[in-house]
Structures are given as structure tokens and as C-alpha cells.
Amino acid sequence: MPEPLINLTIKKIMDLMTKIISLCKRRGFVFPSSEIYGGFSAVYDLGPYGVELANNIKKEWWKVMVQEREDIVGLDSAIFMHPKIWEASGHVSGFADPLTECKKCNGRLRVDHLLEGINIFADEKMTEEEINQLFDKHKGEIKCPNCGKNDWTKVKKFSLLVKANLGNFTDDWSRDPVYLRGETCQGIYVNYLNVLDSNRVKIPFGIAQIGKAFRNEITARQFIFRTIEFEQMEMQYFCSPAQEMEEYEKLRQNRWQYYLNLGISEKNLKWHKHENLVFYAKEAYDIEYNFPFGFKELEGIHARGNYDLSQHGKFSGVILDYADPKTKKKYIPHIIESSVGVGRTMLAVLTEAFNEEQVKEGEIRTVLKFPARLAPIKAAVFPLLGNKPELAEKARNIFNDLKKVFQVEFDDSGNIGKRYRRQDEIGTLYCITIDFESLEKNTVTVRDRDTMQQERVNITELKQFLTDKITKASSY
Ligand code: ATP
């Protein structure tokens, strides 16, 4: 096994981030939005390998959260919802970030982030007035990260909700706005009764959903870590007041284990306990990942009490009580939630997988060592020489056979070394080469991405060989 060239923990932060961003663009994982028009800030498009990786991440999450659970069902609610939902949830009045502007370079920055940089932690519940006072006290110590100057405007709270003019045929956007959802879980809460009435579910049970969310983020500058349009994977678990904390502990343990099973090393994960809880919350933890720019939130796991259903009960006028089938006692279910972004998971998986190795004197290979289930391409099929019809035909037959089961690629261009390097950079697990011996003995060489070792495998056994390798891969 080749030695890693550089120990990532001591690498320069931006160096690694720049390399990941550049690889993502070069190889078709992530593209900046609207690039031919000069770009569109904080929005990204997924390229051919990016969409495969994202789909594999979502498949994995769904498998663990829904398929393998008898007590959790899936949902796909719409992005547009009744605007009152966002009043009930508190988003219209409270979903706002504190913003300041650097008077020198006009850079807009989040005040809570600037304060965090000098180890002052603002409370989420603070009013504009309170956060202004706190910022006034400390702003002399804070330099603008863009231009290094120290001249700030007053703090303003800036709503994160994105408005749409749906059904509004006037030019006044502020009138009766409809919102693009700021989080997917509200769609779960308002369907709680539908799921209860139409499915054989009993408390405790969960509803899981994957979908887009939109936020007017002020500082969205960390690639796919923070974007204004993103995809969330959320699971809301409904339980009795007495079950809440026990179920919460179970959920925390499950989610930690999930990341280890995803091939994330434990040293790169950390719990962060929220000290300043919103008034209704019982407990809140984030799982943080060691991104190239440091430990930051990957997932939130919160015990939310009965706030969400109480609010929707109040605002809709519909009774959302649950009647316990045994005791007949009625109560408003309490909710624990797990909430994570697809983009943030992708960035964690890419950071974890990114390796540079010295293969020979003066030769470095870049390889994405994705766990088998997440790898966008499972195998690439190469005829040794592209211009030999008998090799090409045999390779095509193998490719056509494998593509029914796995995501595979065919490549007959350039020398074999170049083809290997390209596949290493996109994290393909195996490269299968059809050579002259293949014509005589019906065998191929299979090269392992991580060890670069090759072995000969009979073509009739190839599908089973790959299935065994992929399902038994050690990191899974
Ligand atoms: P942050 O403090 O980083 O802004 P948050 O606490 O507001 O995040 P939540 O509202 O708890 O985030 O959202 C749950 C999850 O959704 C986050 O853990 C993250 O994985 C993802 N997420 C939230 N905002 C964004 C965003 N703007 N871009 C990408 N992913 C996001």
C-alpha cells in the first residue's frame, strides 16, 4: 500500500480546500452555477460524478433511516406550503441572522461568526438591540477577514426566508409572500396527522424526508458547505413526553455510528453541545466534522419537546393530540430530529476520501478513496489497445454485461496509465483490462484502486467477484 504523501491534518487548510474544489470542477463532480454568465453566488450544480455521489449518499441515508426501520416511514412533501406554516414555526419573525457590513470593502458578514472568531458566543435568541450591544463591546478586536480593516456598520437582523411571488400578480413582492421552504421538516409536521391516519404507525414512530431547502445565507463562501439552495435529509421522530430523552440518546448513538459506517474516521468527528437552547428545546447537539477549514456542523440532533405540533395545532386550529391506545391518555407528541445536508455530507466524504500518494520518484497520484457503496463508478472497462477490434469487442461485451448491475464506464482512449489516473481521481473501485491473454484464456486483469495490485479473474466470475468485493468492502 503506498504511503500517503502528505499528512492531511498538517496540510495547509486552503491548500486542501483548493485541491478539492479544483478536482470537483476538473472531473465533473461540482460546477459553479451559471458559469458562462459569470457565475451565480453560493449556488452549485452537480456534474455527472457529483450526482452519482449525491444519489449514493441519499440512498445510504434512506436505507438506514427508512428501509431498515420498521418504525420510520418516508415522505416527499412539496416545496411550496401555506405561508401560515412559517408564521407558526417562528421563521417569519425569528429566522434571521445578524449581519454587519465592513465599511471599507463592503463585505457582508455574520456577526455571530465574527464573535465566535474571538471566542464570544452569541445567543440565538438575542434581539437586534442585544446583539448590537454585544458587538459594540467587542468590535474593536475584530478585523475584517476580507480586507483586514476594522470599521463596521450597525448590526441588522436579516431574514433567511426566501420569498416567491406565487399567485401575486402585482409588483409588490412584500404583499402576501409565499416562501420557498427554509427547512424540510415543516412538511413533515403538517403531514403528521395524514401519516398517522393512513399508516399503521404508533408512537414512537418517525417520518423521514429528503428534499430541497432555501436560505438567504449572508456568508455562503465555503463551497458546498453553505449554499442558498441545498438538500436536507431530515428525520422527525414522534414520541411520548416520557420517551423523549431515551429516544434522543438512541438517535444520537445511531447517528454517530452511521458516520463511522460511512467510512468517516472517528478522529474527524466531534460532538458539540448547544449551551444556549431555544426556550422549547430539551437538548441539542451537533455532530461536527473536521472540514478543511476546521470542525464545523455536519448534522443537528435536537430534542424539541412538543413545540412544533403545539404551534401547528394553535395556528391551524386542528387538534394534533395523540391518544395512547393502551392508556387512552391524550398528549401532543414530542419530537426528536436528525437533520443533515447532502452537500455537507458530500464535502465530508470528499475530504475524507482525498489522498495524494507518491507512487514513484517524482510521480504523485491523486486518488479519491470513497467507501465502495458511495463510489460514483464501481468499475471501468478498458481494452488494452483501443485500435484492436477483437479486444474492443470483448471489452464491450463485458461492459454491456456489467452495466446492468453496476455503474460502470468504458474507456479505450490514451495509454493505460493515463486511464488508471483518471479513474483514481474519480474514485473508481476497479479497473478491468482486456488484453491478449483475455482472448486466449477468457480472463481479465482487475486492478484495485487502493492497493494498485492487479489480479487475473475469469470473465465468467467477474460479476460475482465485483459483487463480493463491493458488498464486503472493509470500510463498510
Ligand atoms: P449553520 O449553523 O451551519 O448555519 P444551522 O444550525 O442553521 O446550520 P440547521 O437549520 O440545523 O442548520 O440545518 C440542519 C442541517 O442542514 C445542517 O446541519 C446542515 O447539514 C444543513 N444545512 C443548513 N444550512 C445549510 C446551507 N446553507 N447549506 C448547506 N447545508 C445546510
Side-chain angles (χ1 to χ4, degrees):
M1 185 81 74
E3 279 299 301
L5 176 69
I6 303 156
N7 181 347
L8 294 185
T9 54
I10 57 162
K11 268 168 64 65
K12 286 246 171 63
I13 290 168
M14 286 330 290
D15 194 23
L16 175 58
M17 196 64 205
T18 310
K19 283 179 179 177
I20 291 174
I21 295 171
S22 146
L23 174 64
C24 281
K25 171 87 199 301
R26 191 172 70 247
R27 290 301 186 197
F29 281 89
V30 182
F31 303 131
S33 165
S34 320
E35 214 182 359
I36 61 167
Y37 285 92
F40 193 69
S41 183
V43 183
Y44 288 91
D45 298 333
L46 297 182
Y49 298 120
V51 66
E52 293 296 338
L53 178 60
N55 283 345
N56 290 345
I57 287 171
K58 288 188 269 184
K59 243 186 273 166
E60 201 50 37
W61 187 89
W62 197 263
K63 180 166 174 281
V64 172
M65 282 302 202
V66 181
Q67 187 186 321
E68 293 178 1
R69 298 283 299 246
E70 278 180 68
D71 55 343
I72 302 180
V73 292
L75 181 80
D76 190 4
S77 68
I79 286 170
F80 286 120
M81 288 189 266
H82 197 294
K84 256 205 160 155
I85 288 172
W86 302 104
E87 281 175 42
S89 67
H91 282 75
V92 171
S93 58
F95 194 46
D97 281 339
L99 162 85
T100 182
E101 212 172 296
C102 169
K103 287 187 193 166
K104 298 292 176 215
C105 71
N106 299 325
R108 288 181 179 165
L109 292 142
R110 261 175 72 171
V111 174
D112 52 334
H113 288 171
L114 290 173
L115 288 167
E116 262 170 47
I118 54 163
N119 281 323
I120 307 285
F121 296 92
D123 190 331
E124 268 175 47
K125 294 167 281 184
M126 279 180 165
T127 61
E128 197 166 281
E129 180 74 27
E130 287 166 337
I131 192 123
N132 256 307
Q133 281 171 9
L134 183 70
F135 191 54
D136 271 347
K137 210 159 111 194
H138 297 283
K139 67 185 185 192
E141 306 156 46
I142 302 170
K143 283 198 178 126
C144 173
N146 304 328
C147 69
K149 298 286 179 339
N150 172 254
D151 197 357
W152 302 107
T153 63
K154 244 174 106 68
V155 180
K156 267 196 80 160
K157 278 219 162 181
F158 186 76
S159 174
L160 289 166
L161 277 181
V162 178
K163 286 178 190 167
N165 67 342
L166 202 72
N168 174 353
F169 301 101
T170 71
D171 288 335
D172 183 359
W173 276 60
S174 58
R175 251 172 54 191
D176 306 324
V178 170
Y179 302 99
L180 296 182
R181 65 181 174 199
E183 58 184 23
T184 53
C185 56
Q186 297 301 329
I188 295 181
Y189 304 147
V190 299
N191 275 295
Y192 151 78
L193 213 51
N194 284 334
V195 172
L196 194 66
D197 290 346
S198 61
N199 286 260
R200 289 170 39 245
V201 288
K202 276 201 206 84
I203 273 184
F205 75 93
I207 305 178
Q209 153 154 268
I210 300 177
K212 290 264 172 136
F214 304 82
R215 294 184 188 177
N216 246 331
E217 296 278 2
I218 299 164
T219 44
R221 242 180 263 120
Q222 288 151 322
F223 192 41
I224 51 173
F225 175 82
R226 189 183 302 285
T227 48
I228 55 179
E229 173 180 340
F230 58 101
E231 215 165 5
Q232 284 189 313
M233 304 185 278
E234 297 203 287
M235 195 283 292
Q236 307 290 317
Y237 202 71
F238 301 83
C239 42
S240 75
Q243 289 162 339
E244 183 175 6
M245 294 322 287
E246 194 189 325
E247 290 298 338
Y248 181 66
E249 277 315 309
K250 272 200 249 168
L251 182 64
R252 283 213 307 131
Q253 298 326 314
N254 285 348
R255 295 305 298 156
W256 186 265
Q257 191 56 44
Y258 163 84
Y259 288 109
L260 301 183
N261 293 348
L262 213 58
I264 307 272
S265 40
E266 201 156 15
K267 69 174 180 2
N268 286 332
L269 291 172
K270 198 160 89 174
W271 285 111
H272 166 76
K273 188 175 196 285
H274 289 216
E275 297 302 339
N276 298 316
L277 291 175
V278 277
F279 70 93
Y280 53 81
K282 293 282 180 54
E283 197 149 82
Y285 276 88
D286 297 334
I287 294 180
E288 294 189 338
Y289 177 73
N290 190 11
F291 290 100
F293 38 82
F295 276 98
K296 287 271 181 295
E297 173 175 341
L298 172 59
E299 154 157 0
I301 304 164
H302 306 151
R304 303 180 53 85
N306 67 5
Y307 177 78
D308 305 293
L309 290 188
S310 300
Q311 285 294 99
H312 286 304
K314 229 184 273 169
F315 277 70
S316 67
V318 175
I319 295 167
L320 298 176
D321 289 358
Y322 178 81
D324 187 297
K326 278 201 198 118
T327 64
K328 307 283 179 251
K329 265 178 75 176
K330 286 187 176 170
Y331 59 87
I332 298 174
H334 284 220
I335 291 174
I336 56 173
E337 75 168 359
S338 149
S339 173
V340 57
V342 175
R344 278 196 199 176
T345 311
M346 259 180 88
L347 187 56
V349 166
L350 281 161
T351 307
E352 199 75 22
F354 187 89
N355 275 277
E356 286 178 320
E357 294 170 351
Q358 177 120 37
V359 272
K360 287 193 221 127
E361 192 63 33
E363 192 183 332
I364 294 164
R365 80 161 181 149
T366 303
V367 53
L368 289 180
K369 292 186 170 174
F370 293 125
R373 294 235 276 273
L374 298 188
I377 305 295
K378 307 302 182 206
V381 180
F382 306 153
L384 180 65
L385 301 169
N387 57 1
K388 294 278 177 220
E390 58 280 34
L391 292 182
E393 193 192 332
K394 201 161 181 83
R396 272 271 160 214
N397 289 341
I398 293 171
F399 170 72
N400 287 336
D401 191 34
L402 292 179
K403 77 179 180 191
K404 297 192 184 106
V405 189
F406 306 106
Q407 194 73 38
V408 284
E409 269 194 2
F410 185 88
D411 188 1
D412 60 2
S413 62
N415 73 43
I416 212 91
K418 278 209 181 116
R419 288 186 244 169
Y420 282 153
R421 295 290 169 264
R422 181 175 176 278
Q423 296 299 332
D424 285 346
E425 283 206 338
I426 60 168
T428 302
L429 298 168
Y430 297 100
C431 291
I432 297 162
T433 305
I434 290 78
D435 55 17
F436 291 102
E437 206 177 317
S438 309
L439 303 177
E440 281 169 36
K441 299 193 177 152
N442 210 36
T443 59
V444 288
T445 64
V446 180
R447 172 196 181 261
D448 181 292
R449 175 196 67 194
D450 298 347
T451 62
M452 295 192 287
Q453 298 296 313
Q454 298 185 17
E455 59 184 299
R456 284 207 88 86
V457 177
N458 197 296
I459 292 170
T460 54
E461 287 159 18
L462 197 52
K463 223 189 266 174
Q464 193 56 46
F465 174 89
L466 290 176
T467 306
D468 289 349
K469 288 275 195 186
I470 291 165
T471 48
K472 288 187 197 139
S474 59
S475 50
Y476 245 86

